[in-house]
Amino acid sequence: MAEPGQRLSFLHETRRDANGKKFVLRVIAETIAAEQNVKLTASAVHHLLHGRNEPTRQTAAWLEKYFKVPVGWCSLSEGEALAAYVGARLTPLRAAQDTVRALQNRGVTAVSARSAGDLARQPGLLADLLPTLLAVADNPWEPRVPRDGT
């Protein structure tokens, strides 16, 4: 497993600012200090990013946020990180699968959407629509009133 210092060093070496340059240690320190209302020096950031000091969990979390990586990126083992990554992606897929199963149990064999792209990009959207889809499946002949009341 990579140590937090190695991971932080990797972030500093591979992440770039809006101009395509490495993040400046002073800017990292000042940004985190201002956002978190703490004292953090460029020297301290240098020591953390080069493995001379181990970050506390809180400091690691601040650096993860600064570099825009998932929470726990510096502290989770490879297996834990992979499980968290995959788990976050499976949740919406499970919701979509539950939606399809609930509709199939009511005899629905197809659902038409104006934009399938939205459903492909946001599988949780189908789960959000489940109450409406189930209401229509349960009472297909009941007139629907638009949300704006017209």
Side-chain angles (χ1 to χ4, degrees):
M1 174 175 91
E3 296 296 321
Q6 292 172 316
R7 292 182 187 192
L8 289 172
S9 180
F10 173 80
L11 285 177
H12 188 240
E13 293 299 320
T14 60
R15 299 297 196 269
R16 299 290 185 249
D17 65 14
N19 298 321
K21 298 186 181 209
K22 276 175 131 178
F23 286 97
V24 177
L25 299 177
R26 179 186 47 77
V27 174
I28 295 170
E30 289 174 357
T31 302
I32 292 172
E35 287 179 0
Q36 304 303 326
N37 197 26
V38 296
K39 183 178 179 184
L40 185 64
T41 65
S43 176
V45 171
H46 172 81
H47 287 282
L48 292 168
L49 296 180
H50 292 90
R52 292 192 182 132
N53 292 341
E54 288 292 314
T56 64
R57 285 186 182 211
Q58 187 62 60
T59 305
W62 294 335
L63 289 164
E64 289 165 348
K65 181 179 175 187
Y66 182 86
F67 285 111
K68 297 180 176 134
V69 295
V71 174
W73 196 88
C74 293
S75 58
L76 296 175
S77 70
E78 281 85 358
E80 291 169 329
L82 180 61
Y85 180 84
V86 171
R89 276 134 191 89
L90 284 179
T91 300
L93 295 175
R94 285 187 185 120
Q97 182 182 28
D98 292 345
T99 303
V100 170
R101 190 174 299 118
L103 290 169
Q104 288 173 337
N105 290 341
R106 287 172 169 77
V108 175
T109 58
V111 174
S112 177
R114 287 188 181 176
S115 175
D118 289 341
L119 295 175
R121 285 188 301 277
Q122 298 174 317
L125 185 59
L126 189 58
D128 294 341
L129 295 172
L130 178 60
T132 303
L133 295 171
L134 293 177
V136 171
D138 289 340
N139 300 305
W141 305 113
E142 184 177 307
R144 304 285 171 236
V145 178
R147 286 186 180 174
D148 63 5
T150 58

